[in-house]
Amino acid sequence: MLGVSHAMSGAALGLAVAGYAPHLAGITPSAGAILTFAGVCAGAALLPDLDHPSSVATRRFSAASWMAAHAIRPLSAFVYDLTRGRRDTGRGTHRGLTHTVVGAVLLGLAINFATGRWGVPVIVGTLFVCLALAIKGLDDIVPGPPSLVIAAGLTFAVEEYVPGGTAGTAGWLGTAVTLGMIMHSVGDAITESGAPLLWPLRIRRRSWYPVGSPRPMRFKTGGKVESMFVAPALTVAVFVLIALVVPGVAPLLFDLRDQVASLFSPQAALAH
């Protein structure tokens, strides 16, 4: 899928989970916690493509992401060869380990541990990296934004000015990474090639079986269906969810609506 679709699908999922799931445990999440979780989920939705040499994730942080990609690709290929089934015919370097539920869960658990152990520095670093990925993923809408600068500004704003900041996500922010990565793979699964989501389960004598939707329902990555319908729908969903789940946004929008309505009221017209 296009970077914008991955980023928006991750953001929508992050907003929904962070906005509603804590209430099941009797916890009211802060605006900062919701936005941090959603921002990380949006950026993590581009992380699986670190196994592709020309992806947004690989090119985003220059030498750092290049080295990460060149570590992940051989690791993924090694695991692929080690666990391949009789009918697996690929190399495992793309849409391999990072496109599996197991890979996403393992990375999420590692980040959960790190944020719980070291707190704010790890949280802020994770948010910055993921926001930079998410912003760069929106190049299909706004080409070439200075994503590192914007990501640094947004990270600082969330930490310093949004109620609750980022600290409330310690110990569970890795869940956003896991969900974002899985969302990416599910998005790939409904395109032409599928994704090995269920590795290492054997399906039709393949450990790396490319799970996907029925072939007549699949669409081309970056094609008209995605650009004209999927991406716009996800964008609308993100803005609606922000209004619904982020504390303070809905009252602000209602006040703005009332102010705009008052400008066009008969009393306002008579005053002029």
PDB file of all heavy atoms in Angstrom, residues 2-9 11 42 46 56 131-145 147 150 154 231 235 238-239:
ATOM      1  N   LEU A   2       0.298   2.375  -0.415  1.00  0.00           N
ATOM      2  CA  LEU A   2       1.009   3.637  -0.374  1.00  0.00           C
ATOM      3  C   LEU A   2       1.354   4.020   1.052  1.00  0.00           C
ATOM      4  O   LEU A   2       0.676   3.646   1.996  1.00  0.00           O
ATOM      5  CB  LEU A   2       0.127   4.735  -0.990  1.00  0.00           C
ATOM      6  CG  LEU A   2      -0.094   4.709  -2.502  1.00  0.00           C
ATOM      7  CD1 LEU A   2      -1.167   5.713  -2.867  1.00  0.00           C
ATOM      8  CD2 LEU A   2       1.187   5.004  -3.249  1.00  0.00           C
ATOM      9  N   GLY A   3       2.425   4.833   1.181  1.00  0.00           N
ATOM     10  CA  GLY A   3       2.831   5.271   2.502  1.00  0.00           C
ATOM     11  C   GLY A   3       1.724   5.999   3.231  1.00  0.00           C
ATOM     12  O   GLY A   3       1.539   5.830   4.443  1.00  0.00           O
ATOM     13  N   VAL A   4       0.954   6.814   2.503  1.00  0.00           N
ATOM     14  CA  VAL A   4      -0.122   7.563   3.153  1.00  0.00           C
ATOM     15  C   VAL A   4      -1.183   6.621   3.701  1.00  0.00           C
ATOM     16  O   VAL A   4      -1.725   6.849   4.788  1.00  0.00           O
ATOM     17  CB  VAL A   4      -0.739   8.581   2.169  1.00  0.00           C
ATOM     18  CG1 VAL A   4      -1.374   7.900   0.967  1.00  0.00           C
ATOM     19  CG2 VAL A   4      -1.761   9.452   2.878  1.00  0.00           C
ATOM     20  N   SER A   5      -1.476   5.548   2.999  1.00  0.00           N
ATOM     21  CA  SER A   5      -2.476   4.592   3.482  1.00  0.00           C
ATOM     22  C   SER A   5      -1.985   3.869   4.726  1.00  0.00           C
ATOM     23  O   SER A   5      -2.737   3.662   5.690  1.00  0.00           O
ATOM     24  CB  SER A   5      -2.806   3.578   2.383  1.00  0.00           C
ATOM     25  OG  SER A   5      -3.393   4.209   1.266  1.00  0.00           O
ATOM     26  N   HIS A   6      -0.713   3.475   4.716  1.00  0.00           N
ATOM     27  CA  HIS A   6      -0.150   2.823   5.894  1.00  0.00           C
ATOM     28  C   HIS A   6      -0.178   3.765   7.092  1.00  0.00           C
ATOM     29  O   HIS A   6      -0.582   3.379   8.202  1.00  0.00           O
ATOM     30  CB  HIS A   6       1.290   2.386   5.615  1.00  0.00           C
ATOM     31  CG  HIS A   6       1.410   1.167   4.769  1.00  0.00           C
ATOM     32  ND1 HIS A   6       0.688   0.018   5.010  1.00  0.00           N
ATOM     33  CD2 HIS A   6       2.175   0.901   3.674  1.00  0.00           C
ATOM     34  CE1 HIS A   6       1.009  -0.901   4.110  1.00  0.00           C
ATOM     35  NE2 HIS A   6       1.907  -0.390   3.296  1.00  0.00           N
ATOM     36  N   ALA A   7       0.278   5.005   6.898  1.00  0.00           N
ATOM     37  CA  ALA A   7       0.342   5.956   8.007  1.00  0.00           C
ATOM     38  C   ALA A   7      -1.044   6.255   8.561  1.00  0.00           C
ATOM     39  O   ALA A   7      -1.251   6.279   9.785  1.00  0.00           O
ATOM     40  CB  ALA A   7       1.028   7.243   7.550  1.00  0.00           C
ATOM     41  N   MET A   8      -1.999   6.495   7.673  1.00  0.00           N
ATOM     42  CA  MET A   8      -3.346   6.826   8.119  1.00  0.00           C
ATOM     43  C   MET A   8      -4.047   5.642   8.767  1.00  0.00           C
ATOM     44  O   MET A   8      -4.782   5.805   9.749  1.00  0.00           O
ATOM     45  CB  MET A   8      -4.173   7.354   6.942  1.00  0.00           C
ATOM     46  CG  MET A   8      -3.782   8.755   6.503  1.00  0.00           C
ATOM     47  SD  MET A   8      -4.009   9.955   7.840  1.00  0.00           S
ATOM     48  CE  MET A   8      -3.551  11.478   7.017  1.00  0.00           C
ATOM     49  N   SER A   9      -3.826   4.448   8.247  1.00  0.00           N
ATOM     50  CA  SER A   9      -4.453   3.270   8.861  1.00  0.00           C
ATOM     51  C   SER A   9      -3.869   3.036  10.253  1.00  0.00           C
ATOM     52  O   SER A   9      -4.597   2.698  11.196  1.00  0.00           O
ATOM     53  CB  SER A   9      -4.256   2.031   7.986  1.00  0.00           C
ATOM     54  OG  SER A   9      -2.882   1.706   7.843  1.00  0.00           O
ATOM     55  N   ALA A  11      -2.572   5.409  12.214  1.00  0.00           N
ATOM     56  CA  ALA A  11      -3.070   6.476  13.073  1.00  0.00           C
ATOM     57  C   ALA A  11      -4.504   6.196  13.519  1.00  0.00           C
ATOM     58  O   ALA A  11      -4.852   6.383  14.696  1.00  0.00           O
ATOM     59  CB  ALA A  11      -2.996   7.819  12.345  1.00  0.00           C
ATOM     60  N   ALA A  42       1.086   5.126  13.894  1.00  0.00           N
ATOM     61  CA  ALA A  42       1.121   5.603  12.508  1.00  0.00           C
ATOM     62  C   ALA A  42       2.490   5.377  11.886  1.00  0.00           C
ATOM     63  O   ALA A  42       2.607   4.899  10.749  1.00  0.00           O
ATOM     64  CB  ALA A  42       0.762   7.088  12.461  1.00  0.00           C
ATOM     65  N   LEU A  46       4.875   1.870   8.947  1.00  0.00           N
ATOM     66  CA  LEU A  46       5.816   1.876   7.837  1.00  0.00           C
ATOM     67  C   LEU A  46       7.071   1.054   8.139  1.00  0.00           C
ATOM     68  O   LEU A  46       7.881   0.803   7.248  1.00  0.00           O
ATOM     69  CB  LEU A  46       6.222   3.307   7.473  1.00  0.00           C
ATOM     70  CG  LEU A  46       5.206   4.094   6.656  1.00  0.00           C
ATOM     71  CD1 LEU A  46       4.163   4.749   7.551  1.00  0.00           C
ATOM     72  CD2 LEU A  46       5.880   5.160   5.806  1.00  0.00           C
ATOM     73  N   VAL A  56      10.360   3.996   2.298  1.00  0.00           N
ATOM     74  CA  VAL A  56      10.422   5.200   3.125  1.00  0.00           C
ATOM     75  C   VAL A  56      11.177   4.921   4.413  1.00  0.00           C
ATOM     76  O   VAL A  56      12.026   5.710   4.846  1.00  0.00           O
ATOM     77  CB  VAL A  56       9.000   5.712   3.444  1.00  0.00           C
ATOM     78  CG1 VAL A  56       9.045   6.809   4.501  1.00  0.00           C
ATOM     79  CG2 VAL A  56       8.339   6.239   2.181  1.00  0.00           C
ATOM     80  N   LEU A 131       6.994   9.444  14.328  1.00  0.00           N
ATOM     81  CA  LEU A 131       6.378  10.616  13.708  1.00  0.00           C
ATOM     82  C   LEU A 131       7.105  10.989  12.422  1.00  0.00           C
ATOM     83  O   LEU A 131       6.469  11.354  11.417  1.00  0.00           O
ATOM     84  CB  LEU A 131       6.391  11.798  14.675  1.00  0.00           C
ATOM     85  CG  LEU A 131       5.344  11.786  15.785  1.00  0.00           C
ATOM     86  CD1 LEU A 131       5.534  12.984  16.700  1.00  0.00           C
ATOM     87  CD2 LEU A 131       3.924  11.790  15.211  1.00  0.00           C
ATOM     88  N   ALA A 132       8.428  10.903  12.422  1.00  0.00           N
ATOM     89  CA  ALA A 132       9.183  11.210  11.208  1.00  0.00           C
ATOM     90  C   ALA A 132       8.825  10.254  10.078  1.00  0.00           C
ATOM     91  O   ALA A 132       8.674  10.664   8.920  1.00  0.00           O
ATOM     92  CB  ALA A 132      10.680  11.160  11.501  1.00  0.00           C
ATOM     93  N   LEU A 133       8.665   8.976  10.410  1.00  0.00           N
ATOM     94  CA  LEU A 133       8.253   7.992   9.401  1.00  0.00           C
ATOM     95  C   LEU A 133       6.850   8.297   8.888  1.00  0.00           C
ATOM     96  O   LEU A 133       6.584   8.253   7.678  1.00  0.00           O
ATOM     97  CB  LEU A 133       8.292   6.588   9.995  1.00  0.00           C
ATOM     98  CG  LEU A 133       9.669   5.979  10.234  1.00  0.00           C
ATOM     99  CD1 LEU A 133       9.532   4.657  10.983  1.00  0.00           C
ATOM    100  CD2 LEU A 133      10.396   5.761   8.917  1.00  0.00           C
ATOM    101  N   ALA A 134       5.939   8.599   9.811  1.00  0.00           N
ATOM    102  CA  ALA A 134       4.555   8.860   9.416  1.00  0.00           C
ATOM    103  C   ALA A 134       4.461  10.090   8.526  1.00  0.00           C
ATOM    104  O   ALA A 134       3.756  10.089   7.509  1.00  0.00           O
ATOM    105  CB  ALA A 134       3.684   9.044  10.653  1.00  0.00           C
ATOM    106  N   ILE A 135       5.188  11.161   8.881  1.00  0.00           N
ATOM    107  CA  ILE A 135       5.149  12.390   8.088  1.00  0.00           C
ATOM    108  C   ILE A 135       5.727  12.147   6.703  1.00  0.00           C
ATOM    109  O   ILE A 135       5.180  12.599   5.695  1.00  0.00           O
ATOM    110  CB  ILE A 135       5.910  13.514   8.816  1.00  0.00           C
ATOM    111  CG1 ILE A 135       5.169  13.909  10.095  1.00  0.00           C
ATOM    112  CG2 ILE A 135       6.063  14.738   7.914  1.00  0.00           C
ATOM    113  CD1 ILE A 135       5.989  14.761  11.037  1.00  0.00           C
ATOM    114  N   LYS A 136       6.832  11.426   6.640  1.00  0.00           N
ATOM    115  CA  LYS A 136       7.427  11.114   5.332  1.00  0.00           C
ATOM    116  C   LYS A 136       6.499  10.229   4.517  1.00  0.00           C
ATOM    117  O   LYS A 136       6.458  10.317   3.288  1.00  0.00           O
ATOM    118  CB  LYS A 136       8.781  10.435   5.522  1.00  0.00           C
ATOM    119  CG  LYS A 136       9.634  10.425   4.261  1.00  0.00           C
ATOM    120  CD  LYS A 136       9.946  11.827   3.791  1.00  0.00           C
ATOM    121  CE  LYS A 136      10.780  11.822   2.515  1.00  0.00           C
ATOM    122  NZ  LYS A 136      10.977  13.190   1.988  1.00  0.00           N
ATOM    123  N   GLY A 137       5.724   9.390   5.204  1.00  0.00           N
ATOM    124  CA  GLY A 137       4.771   8.542   4.496  1.00  0.00           C
ATOM    125  C   GLY A 137       3.654   9.321   3.839  1.00  0.00           C
ATOM    126  O   GLY A 137       2.955   8.811   2.965  1.00  0.00           O
ATOM    127  N   LEU A 138       3.466  10.592   4.261  1.00  0.00           N
ATOM    128  CA  LEU A 138       2.418  11.430   3.686  1.00  0.00           C
ATOM    129  C   LEU A 138       2.895  12.203   2.463  1.00  0.00           C
ATOM    130  O   LEU A 138       2.224  13.116   2.005  1.00  0.00           O
ATOM    131  CB  LEU A 138       1.902  12.420   4.746  1.00  0.00           C
ATOM    132  CG  LEU A 138       1.295  11.798   6.006  1.00  0.00           C
ATOM    133  CD1 LEU A 138       0.835  12.884   6.957  1.00  0.00           C
ATOM    134  CD2 LEU A 138       0.150  10.868   5.659  1.00  0.00           C
ATOM    135  N   ASP A 139       4.068  11.857   1.941  1.00  0.00           N
ATOM    136  CA  ASP A 139       4.588  12.550   0.762  1.00  0.00           C
ATOM    137  C   ASP A 139       3.638  12.489  -0.426  1.00  0.00           C
ATOM    138  O   ASP A 139       3.685  13.337  -1.315  1.00  0.00           O
ATOM    139  CB  ASP A 139       5.939  11.956   0.345  1.00  0.00           C
ATOM    140  CG  ASP A 139       7.097  12.669   1.019  1.00  0.00           C
ATOM    141  OD1 ASP A 139       6.840  13.613   1.786  1.00  0.00           O
ATOM    142  OD2 ASP A 139       8.249  12.290   0.774  1.00  0.00           O
ATOM    143  N   ASP A 140       2.764  11.462  -0.446  1.00  0.00           N
ATOM    144  CA  ASP A 140       1.796  11.374  -1.544  1.00  0.00           C
ATOM    145  C   ASP A 140       0.803  12.530  -1.489  1.00  0.00           C
ATOM    146  O   ASP A 140       0.166  12.856  -2.485  1.00  0.00           O
ATOM    147  CB  ASP A 140       1.044  10.036  -1.478  1.00  0.00           C
ATOM    148  CG  ASP A 140       1.978   8.858  -1.672  1.00  0.00           C
ATOM    149  OD1 ASP A 140       2.634   8.793  -2.719  1.00  0.00           O
ATOM    150  OD2 ASP A 140       2.083   8.025  -0.764  1.00  0.00           O
ATOM    151  N   ILE A 141       0.633  13.137  -0.296  1.00  0.00           N
ATOM    152  CA  ILE A 141      -0.268  14.278  -0.160  1.00  0.00           C
ATOM    153  C   ILE A 141       0.508  15.590  -0.196  1.00  0.00           C
ATOM    154  O   ILE A 141       0.171  16.514  -0.946  1.00  0.00           O
ATOM    155  CB  ILE A 141      -1.056  14.188   1.169  1.00  0.00           C
ATOM    156  CG1 ILE A 141      -1.933  12.930   1.174  1.00  0.00           C
ATOM    157  CG2 ILE A 141      -1.922  15.423   1.365  1.00  0.00           C
ATOM    158  CD1 ILE A 141      -2.673  12.730   2.483  1.00  0.00           C
ATOM    159  N   VAL A 142       1.545  15.675   0.620  1.00  0.00           N
ATOM    160  CA  VAL A 142       2.371  16.888   0.685  1.00  0.00           C
ATOM    161  C   VAL A 142       3.815  16.473   0.445  1.00  0.00           C
ATOM    162  O   VAL A 142       4.519  16.078   1.373  1.00  0.00           O
ATOM    163  CB  VAL A 142       2.241  17.584   2.060  1.00  0.00           C
ATOM    164  CG1 VAL A 142       3.036  18.888   2.068  1.00  0.00           C
ATOM    165  CG2 VAL A 142       0.785  17.854   2.387  1.00  0.00           C
ATOM    166  N   PRO A 143       4.305  16.541  -0.798  1.00  0.00           N
ATOM    167  CA  PRO A 143       5.644  16.052  -1.122  1.00  0.00           C
ATOM    168  C   PRO A 143       6.737  16.840  -0.398  1.00  0.00           C
ATOM    169  O   PRO A 143       6.674  18.054  -0.274  1.00  0.00           O
ATOM    170  CB  PRO A 143       5.741  16.263  -2.633  1.00  0.00           C
ATOM    171  CG  PRO A 143       4.332  16.377  -3.107  1.00  0.00           C
ATOM    172  CD  PRO A 143       3.582  17.015  -1.970  1.00  0.00           C
ATOM    173  N   GLY A 144       7.717  16.079   0.100  1.00  0.00           N
ATOM    174  CA  GLY A 144       8.937  16.671   0.599  1.00  0.00           C
ATOM    175  C   GLY A 144       8.867  17.514   1.848  1.00  0.00           C
ATOM    176  O   GLY A 144       9.613  18.489   1.959  1.00  0.00           O
ATOM    177  N   PRO A 145       8.017  17.215   2.827  1.00  0.00           N
ATOM    178  CA  PRO A 145       8.029  18.039   4.038  1.00  0.00           C
ATOM    179  C   PRO A 145       9.307  17.778   4.827  1.00  0.00           C
ATOM    180  O   PRO A 145       9.849  16.677   4.778  1.00  0.00           O
ATOM    181  CB  PRO A 145       6.808  17.547   4.816  1.00  0.00           C
ATOM    182  CG  PRO A 145       6.658  16.120   4.394  1.00  0.00           C
ATOM    183  CD  PRO A 145       7.071  16.085   2.941  1.00  0.00           C
ATOM    184  N   SER A 147      10.458  16.423   7.368  1.00  0.00           N
ATOM    185  CA  SER A 147       9.801  15.574   8.362  1.00  0.00           C
ATOM    186  C   SER A 147      10.563  15.475   9.679  1.00  0.00           C
ATOM    187  O   SER A 147       9.955  15.354  10.739  1.00  0.00           O
ATOM    188  CB  SER A 147       9.557  14.180   7.790  1.00  0.00           C
ATOM    189  OG  SER A 147      10.759  13.624   7.300  1.00  0.00           O
ATOM    190  N   ILE A 150       9.722  18.701  11.598  1.00  0.00           N
ATOM    191  CA  ILE A 150       8.328  18.671  12.035  1.00  0.00           C
ATOM    192  C   ILE A 150       8.138  17.640  13.143  1.00  0.00           C
ATOM    193  O   ILE A 150       7.454  17.889  14.147  1.00  0.00           O
ATOM    194  CB  ILE A 150       7.394  18.363  10.850  1.00  0.00           C
ATOM    195  CG1 ILE A 150       7.475  19.489   9.810  1.00  0.00           C
ATOM    196  CG2 ILE A 150       5.949  18.194  11.328  1.00  0.00           C
ATOM    197  CD1 ILE A 150       6.724  19.199   8.547  1.00  0.00           C
ATOM    198  N   LEU A 154       6.710  18.368  16.844  1.00  0.00           N
ATOM    199  CA  LEU A 154       5.506  17.704  17.350  1.00  0.00           C
ATOM    200  C   LEU A 154       5.799  16.904  18.617  1.00  0.00           C
ATOM    201  O   LEU A 154       5.000  16.887  19.558  1.00  0.00           O
ATOM    202  CB  LEU A 154       4.919  16.785  16.278  1.00  0.00           C
ATOM    203  CG  LEU A 154       4.262  17.477  15.074  1.00  0.00           C
ATOM    204  CD1 LEU A 154       3.846  16.446  14.034  1.00  0.00           C
ATOM    205  CD2 LEU A 154       3.061  18.303  15.517  1.00  0.00           C
ATOM    206  N   ALA A 231      -7.257   5.677   0.738  1.00  0.00           N
ATOM    207  CA  ALA A 231      -6.522   6.744   1.428  1.00  0.00           C
ATOM    208  C   ALA A 231      -7.439   7.881   1.902  1.00  0.00           C
ATOM    209  O   ALA A 231      -7.341   8.315   3.059  1.00  0.00           O
ATOM    210  CB  ALA A 231      -5.406   7.278   0.526  1.00  0.00           C
ATOM    211  N   THR A 235      -8.154   8.954   5.864  1.00  0.00           N
ATOM    212  CA  THR A 235      -7.871  10.314   6.316  1.00  0.00           C
ATOM    213  C   THR A 235      -9.069  10.892   7.065  1.00  0.00           C
ATOM    214  O   THR A 235      -8.927  11.496   8.136  1.00  0.00           O
ATOM    215  CB  THR A 235      -7.506  11.209   5.121  1.00  0.00           C
ATOM    216  OG1 THR A 235      -6.375  10.655   4.437  1.00  0.00           O
ATOM    217  CG2 THR A 235      -7.165  12.625   5.578  1.00  0.00           C
ATOM    218  N   VAL A 238      -9.382   9.331  10.506  1.00  0.00           N
ATOM    219  CA  VAL A 238      -8.434   9.861  11.487  1.00  0.00           C
ATOM    220  C   VAL A 238      -8.970  11.141  12.115  1.00  0.00           C
ATOM    221  O   VAL A 238      -8.959  11.312  13.337  1.00  0.00           O
ATOM    222  CB  VAL A 238      -7.060  10.108  10.839  1.00  0.00           C
ATOM    223  CG1 VAL A 238      -6.169  10.965  11.749  1.00  0.00           C
ATOM    224  CG2 VAL A 238      -6.378   8.784  10.541  1.00  0.00           C
ATOM    225  N   PHE A 239      -9.462  12.058  11.290  1.00  0.00           N
ATOM    226  CA  PHE A 239      -9.967  13.328  11.825  1.00  0.00           C
ATOM    227  C   PHE A 239     -11.219  13.123  12.681  1.00  0.00           C
ATOM    228  O   PHE A 239     -11.389  13.792  13.714  1.00  0.00           O
ATOM    229  CB  PHE A 239     -10.240  14.303  10.685  1.00  0.00           C
ATOM    230  CG  PHE A 239      -8.988  14.911  10.109  1.00  0.00           C
ATOM    231  CD1 PHE A 239      -8.522  14.531   8.865  1.00  0.00           C
ATOM    232  CD2 PHE A 239      -8.276  15.856  10.824  1.00  0.00           C
ATOM    233  CE1 PHE A 239      -7.361  15.073   8.341  1.00  0.00           C
ATOM    234  CE2 PHE A 239      -7.113  16.425  10.308  1.00  0.00           C
ATOM    235  CZ  PHE A 239      -6.650  16.028   9.066  1.00  0.00           C
TER     236      PHE A 239
END
